[in-house]
Amino acid sequence: MAVITKRTTKLTWQEIAQDMQKHRDETIAEVQPSIPDVPRELPRNVTLIPAELLSTREIELTETSPEKLVAALAEGDLTSVELTNAFLRRAGLAQKLVNCITELLPERALTRAKELDDYYAEYKKPIGALHGLPISVKEHVGMKGLDLNAGFVSWVGRTTEDDATILRILWGEGCVFYARTTQPQTLMHLETSSNLYGVTVNPFNRELTSGGSSGGEGALIGLRGSCLGVGTDIGGSIRSPAANNGLYGFRPTSYRLPIGGYAATMLGEEQIVSVIGPLSASLEGIKLFMKTIIGAKPWLMEPSVLPFPWREGEYCLLKEDEKRLKIGVLWNDEIVKPHPPVQRALREVVDQLKTIKGVEIVDWKSYKHDLAWEIIASLYFCDGAQQEIDAIEASGEPWRPLSEFIIKDNPFVKSLTVTEVWEWTQKRDDYRTEYMELWNDTATCIGANGDLEGAVDVILCPVGPGAALPIDHSRYWGYTSQWNLLDYPAVVFPVTKVDPDVDVKDENYLPMNEKDEYNYKLYEPSRYQDAPVSLQLVGRRYEDEKVLEALEFIKNRIGLPFVKT
């Protein structure tokens, strides 16, 4: 994908940021009817405000799950123009509440929606699996002719000649692109904070982070300004915002989905591979996304994608067999203990699962997770983060706090020789082998065909060391980056929300180390009021379908989420 740089006039970073924000506001102003103003003084929880300012019909449409919307569009019970305009208005309102949008695309989105409606009127059938469905997209996933800055001020003015591969597939299946969303400086935060757009906050508690780096998607879908969005993940960047906003988010195994056409530093490195994946208001939305992309045979568009279909039902977890699911529970990675709301969510889910016939629960003990962080942190920036440093300093923009944390304060960021890259890559592969053997050892026997029988199917674990954390404080990646290092598929799902009266702080707890102490001191129950609490389900490499099938099994049998956020 060719990237074109258009900006030639030398402006200060502040002037560039002002231009970008002005452009964003102008695109929002194009939406009709005009988007109402929000109260000058906003409450901490702004999730109820859309119902006060939008029409009953707009609320009904935007709070319907993607799979139901697709069905209604396919039956001709709903037009894409009406649906797209409803999401445009709610997305514009979301921007005013949580600062999650880089630009709306009302003209091109409504033109596309009308074309799809006209097609349906003529042929009486949908154009594809996503006919008429509005989908939001993280900014650094390239759209033809639109800015592609990846959160760097110095990259403003770059554009691309074509859509990213995954967007071309989604377009071919009939979707409508209508909103682009915020991301952090460097893309390497578990929050969303940049000098271009400022901080994206959490709609359930504006004093907390929306997560990152796909935090614009998380906040937008959390406010139902979108029902299905495209994010990326190299250390937790889909799962963190999904968890913080009470959504479903899926990190697939590498090379299941195409990644061509997104902007980032260090493109071409293969030590720790970023993936593209969905965030959704429903689990069915995640499955719809995955089945649609893989069903389009993306390996014929991008040679790195593995050529095998979506294998739904292969693992038979939904059948009425005597024994169906063995779950390993990682309560604590023995580096940072999760806050009380996360501990409670784990206990409640496990207690319910123990009552389900055919489900076996075993403890999963962490294995050298401190070494795992050393390896992945060493491989994130093999050039000593020089491309990141150059991209930040080219404009004179200041370093955001979490950029300094992950680069300047990170003892594992070093400029490696080729030989050192090989050595660290070998450490990665050795660790993956040891973890594979650890998983194999959970089997009770080897079957006649050589398959492991009685092994753990999936791992249930925290998504992070707490619910959404206060702004600029998301400094522990271990509960998500662990699975990036191993390249395991992982899905996040909502469970409950923080209850300060129940989730009390253990005043007698003695932290295990400095990282644990930092996290422990962040927790004061009232500070996290209304924050969603989510968990994560992890599977073995390339068992993506099994992970989603297992979550569907669990969700249907124990009634998740226990508390609606």
Side-chain angles (χ1 to χ4, degrees):
M1 178 191 73
V3 174
I4 304 168
T5 302
K6 292 183 178 179
R7 186 179 292 275
T8 57
T9 305
K10 182 65 175 177
L11 300 175
T12 66
W13 74 264
Q14 295 96 330
E15 290 170 331
I16 295 171
Q18 288 172 1
D19 283 351
M20 297 300 285
Q21 292 170 29
K22 179 182 177 183
H23 169 72
R24 175 201 60 204
D25 295 344
E26 288 172 347
T27 67
I28 292 172
E30 292 174 12
V31 177
Q32 296 298 322
S34 60
I35 297 164
D37 292 329
V38 301
R40 184 178 298 272
E41 297 294 329
L42 291 171
R44 286 206 298 182
N45 186 336
V46 295
T47 56
L48 299 180
I49 289 179
E52 300 172 1
L53 299 178
L54 300 177
S55 71
T56 301
R57 177 62 171 169
E58 288 169 332
I59 295 299
E60 176 191 359
L61 290 175
T62 53
E63 295 187 0
T64 300
S65 63
E67 70 276 9
K68 291 181 180 178
L69 291 173
V70 165
L73 289 159
E75 290 296 321
D77 297 332
L78 174 63
T79 68
S80 182
V81 166
E82 182 186 21
L83 182 63
T84 299
N85 209 58
F87 273 112
L88 280 165
R89 281 176 47 78
R90 190 150 183 169
L93 184 59
Q95 165 57 30
K96 297 184 179 187
L97 296 173
V98 294
N99 190 33
C100 57
I101 297 292
T102 66
E103 62 181 328
L104 293 183
L105 309 170
E107 183 177 358
R108 66 164 64 188
L110 291 171
T111 298
R112 165 70 165 171
K114 185 177 184 304
E115 290 172 354
L116 292 166
D117 289 340
D118 290 345
Y119 178 94
Y120 191 93
E122 181 175 355
Y123 297 103
K124 307 302 180 187
K125 65 178 183 179
I127 203 168
L130 301 173
H131 179 97
L133 183 71
I135 290 180
S136 52
V137 183
K138 188 178 183 181
E139 189 274 351
H140 81 121
V141 180
M143 286 191 184
K144 181 179 180 179
L146 299 182
D147 209 75
L148 193 62
N149 57 65
F152 296 112
V153 175
S154 68
W155 284 17
V156 168
R158 295 186 176 196
T159 60
T160 173
E161 294 179 325
D162 203 353
D163 290 338
T165 307
I166 202 163
L167 299 191
R168 298 204 308 272
I169 294 172
L170 293 169
W171 182 271
E173 293 294 334
C175 84
V176 177
F177 299 126
Y178 71 105
R180 304 179 79 206
T181 56
T182 52
Q183 67 223 336
Q185 180 190 61
T186 77
L187 296 171
M188 295 295 284
H189 301 192
L190 291 183
E191 299 191 15
T192 299
S193 166
S194 76
N195 292 313
L196 286 169
Y197 299 104
V199 177
T200 301
V201 297
N202 191 302
F204 296 90
N205 183 329
R206 286 170 41 85
E207 295 177 8
L208 306 177
T209 179
S210 64
S213 63
S214 309
E217 284 299 314
L220 179 64
I221 304 173
L223 269 173
R224 298 303 185 262
S226 173
C227 63
L228 183 62
V230 180
T232 58
D233 193 313
I234 198 171
S237 292
I238 288 171
R239 289 159 293 154
S240 159
N244 289 5
N245 294 281
L247 308 173
Y248 296 86
F250 185 53
R251 181 227 179 259
T253 312
S254 63
Y255 305 119
R256 290 301 303 272
L257 300 184
I259 60 173
Y262 74 89
T265 58
M266 300 175 289
L267 290 179
E269 68 85 20
E270 295 186 317
Q271 279 63 51
I272 305 296
V273 178
S274 180
V275 299
I276 287 181
L279 296 88
S280 176
S282 71
L283 175 58
E284 286 299 319
I286 298 290
K287 293 173 64 180
L288 174 65
F289 185 97
M290 294 298 297
K291 289 167 64 177
T292 299
I293 299 298
I294 293 177
K297 299 184 177 180
W299 49 87
L300 299 178
M301 303 175 70
E302 200 168 289
S304 63
V305 179
L306 295 178
F308 54 90
W310 187 252
R311 302 161 297 181
E312 189 168 40
E314 180 174 314
Y315 297 99
C316 304
L317 298 177
L318 304 182
K319 292 184 177 179
E320 295 301 321
D321 299 326
E322 181 63 27
K323 188 167 184 178
R324 295 184 291 274
L325 188 60
K326 184 175 181 179
I327 302 172
V329 180
L330 176 67
W331 299 93
N332 183 336
D333 70 359
E334 299 181 3
I335 302 170
V336 173
K337 185 177 181 179
H339 288 163
V342 178
Q343 297 175 49
R344 174 171 62 85
L346 268 173
R347 287 195 305 271
E348 290 179 352
V349 169
V350 169
D351 286 347
Q352 288 294 314
L353 287 171
K354 286 179 177 178
T355 69
I356 306 301
K357 182 181 178 182
V359 173
E360 181 182 357
I361 300 293
V362 297
D363 287 338
W364 185 278
K365 185 174 174 58
S366 69
Y367 178 77
K368 299 182 181 179
H369 284 212
D370 51 350
L371 174 61
W373 174 249
E374 181 180 353
I375 294 170
I376 197 170
S378 297
L379 289 172
Y380 274 144
F381 305 103
C382 294
D383 66 343
Q386 194 59 53
Q387 288 194 11
E388 304 275 350
I389 293 167
D390 291 346
I392 293 172
E393 296 187 348
S395 68
E397 66 170 302
W399 285 68
R400 306 297 292 196
L402 291 181
S403 299
E404 290 192 326
F405 161 73
I406 198 61
I407 294 175
K408 292 184 176 182
D409 300 338
N410 185 345
F412 303 114
V413 174
K414 299 173 184 176
S415 182
L416 304 179
T417 66
V418 172
T419 300
E420 288 171 331
V421 171
W422 292 341
E423 290 171 350
W424 278 107
T425 304
Q426 187 61 56
K427 290 179 182 179
R428 179 202 69 181
D429 291 346
D430 289 345
Y431 184 78
R432 287 178 174 179
T433 299
E434 291 173 18
Y435 222 89
M436 176 195 71
E437 292 170 349
L438 182 74
W439 201 312
N440 289 348
D441 287 344
T442 66
T444 55
C445 65
I446 298 178
N449 60 356
D451 288 342
L452 298 176
E453 295 185 359
V456 164
D457 292 296
V458 289
I459 299 170
L460 175 67
C461 60
V463 191
L469 296 176
I471 306 298
D472 289 332
H473 286 80
S474 300
R475 293 172 176 249
Y476 188 68
W477 294 32
Y479 285 105
T480 48
S481 64
Q482 172 73 22
W483 315 118
N484 292 85
L485 178 66
L486 294 168
D487 195 21
Y488 286 173
V491 63
V492 163
F493 57 96
V495 176
T496 185
K497 65 180 180 180
V498 174
D499 184 340
D501 294 331
V502 174
D503 301 317
V504 297
K505 185 173 185 176
D506 182 357
E507 299 292 350
N508 297 317
Y509 178 68
L510 296 176
M512 296 177 282
N513 52 61
E514 288 185 6
K515 292 180 179 179
D516 195 31
E517 181 178 20
Y518 178 87
N519 188 63
Y520 172 73
K521 289 180 176 179
L522 288 177
Y523 188 69
E524 294 297 337
S526 61
R527 195 179 194 182
Y528 295 83
Q529 179 74 47
D530 294 336
V533 183
S534 302
L535 295 176
Q536 182 174 207
L537 210 60
V538 179
R540 302 189 78 154
R541 206 167 184 223
Y542 296 111
E543 292 192 347
D544 302 50
E545 298 89 341
K546 185 178 190 178
V547 173
L548 297 186
E549 195 174 330
L551 179 55
E552 183 179 10
F553 177 94
I554 292 168
K555 182 176 180 290
N556 290 343
R557 280 159 177 76
I558 67 175
L560 289 170
F562 297 143
V563 175
K564 302 289 185 181
T565 52

